[in-house]
Short mmCIF file of all heavy atoms in Angstrom, two decimals:
data_model
loop_
_atom_site.label_atom_id
_atom_site.label_comp_id
_atom_site.label_asym_id
_atom_site.label_seq_id
_atom_site.Cartn_x
_atom_site.Cartn_y
_atom_site.Cartn_z
N SER O 146 -68.32 11.39 -15.24
CA SER O 146 -68.18 10.39 -14.17
C SER O 146 -67.10 10.75 -13.28
O SER O 146 -66.25 11.57 -13.66
CB SER O 146 -68.20 8.99 -14.72
OG SER O 146 -66.83 8.85 -15.51
N PRO O 155 -55.53 16.31 -17.33
CA PRO O 155 -54.32 15.53 -17.32
C PRO O 155 -53.34 16.11 -16.38
O PRO O 155 -53.34 17.23 -16.05
CB PRO O 155 -53.84 15.67 -18.79
CG PRO O 155 -54.87 16.23 -19.56
CD PRO O 155 -55.74 17.01 -18.70
N SER O 178 -55.24 33.63 9.49
CA SER O 178 -55.10 33.57 10.87
C SER O 178 -54.28 32.31 11.26
O SER O 178 -53.42 32.36 12.10
CB SER O 178 -56.41 33.46 11.64
OG SER O 178 -57.11 32.17 11.26
N ARG O 183 -49.03 30.03 12.95
CA ARG O 183 -47.89 29.20 12.72
C ARG O 183 -46.57 29.86 12.75
O ARG O 183 -45.67 29.52 13.50
CB ARG O 183 -48.05 28.45 11.34
CG ARG O 183 -48.12 27.01 11.56
CD ARG O 183 -48.26 26.22 10.43
NE ARG O 183 -48.97 25.09 11.10
CZ ARG O 183 -48.94 23.82 10.76
NH1 ARG O 183 -48.33 23.49 9.75
NH2 ARG O 183 -49.54 22.87 11.39
N ALA O 201 -30.37 31.19 32.00
CA ALA O 201 -29.48 30.19 32.84
C ALA O 201 -28.24 30.83 33.30
O ALA O 201 -27.61 30.35 34.26
CB ALA O 201 -29.33 28.99 31.91
N VAL O 203 -27.77 33.38 35.03
CA VAL O 203 -27.78 33.79 36.32
C VAL O 203 -27.15 32.91 37.33
O VAL O 203 -26.74 33.26 38.35
CB VAL O 203 -29.24 34.23 36.92
CG1 VAL O 203 -29.81 35.29 36.16
CG2 VAL O 203 -30.14 32.98 36.82
N ILE O 233 -46.11 37.54 20.16
CA ILE O 233 -46.79 36.92 21.30
C ILE O 233 -48.28 37.45 21.41
O ILE O 233 -49.21 36.69 21.62
CB ILE O 233 -45.98 37.25 22.53
CG1 ILE O 233 -44.67 36.45 22.54
CG2 ILE O 233 -46.87 36.86 23.80
CD1 ILE O 233 -43.73 36.84 23.71
N PHE O 274 -48.26 49.12 24.40
CA PHE O 274 -46.86 48.67 24.66
C PHE O 274 -45.81 49.47 23.94
O PHE O 274 -44.70 49.86 24.65
CB PHE O 274 -46.72 47.20 24.22
CG PHE O 274 -45.34 46.69 24.36
CD1 PHE O 274 -44.75 46.42 25.52
CD2 PHE O 274 -44.60 46.50 23.17
CE1 PHE O 274 -43.34 45.98 25.71
CE2 PHE O 274 -43.24 46.06 23.39
CZ PHE O 274 -42.68 45.78 24.59
N VAL O 275 -45.91 49.70 22.71
CA VAL O 275 -44.76 50.20 21.92
C VAL O 275 -44.27 51.55 22.31
O VAL O 275 -43.00 51.71 22.52
CB VAL O 275 -45.16 50.16 20.36
CG1 VAL O 275 -44.01 50.76 19.54
CG2 VAL O 275 -45.39 48.74 19.88
N LEU O 279 -40.43 51.88 23.63
CA LEU O 279 -39.44 52.64 22.86
C LEU O 279 -38.96 53.78 23.82
O LEU O 279 -37.73 54.24 23.61
CB LEU O 279 -40.11 53.17 21.60
CG LEU O 279 -40.41 52.01 20.58
CD1 LEU O 279 -40.97 52.79 19.25
CD2 LEU O 279 -39.24 51.29 20.17
N MET O 280 -39.77 54.31 24.67
CA MET O 280 -39.24 55.37 25.57
C MET O 280 -38.10 54.70 26.54
O MET O 280 -37.16 55.31 26.69
CB MET O 280 -40.42 55.88 26.51
CG MET O 280 -41.27 56.93 25.90
SD MET O 280 -42.82 57.18 26.79
CE MET O 280 -42.28 57.75 28.32
#
Side-chain angles (χ1 to χ4, degrees):
Chain O
S146 65
S178 68
R183 241 176 209 211
V203 291
I233 290 172
F274 171 74
V275 175
L279 292 183
M280 276 165 63

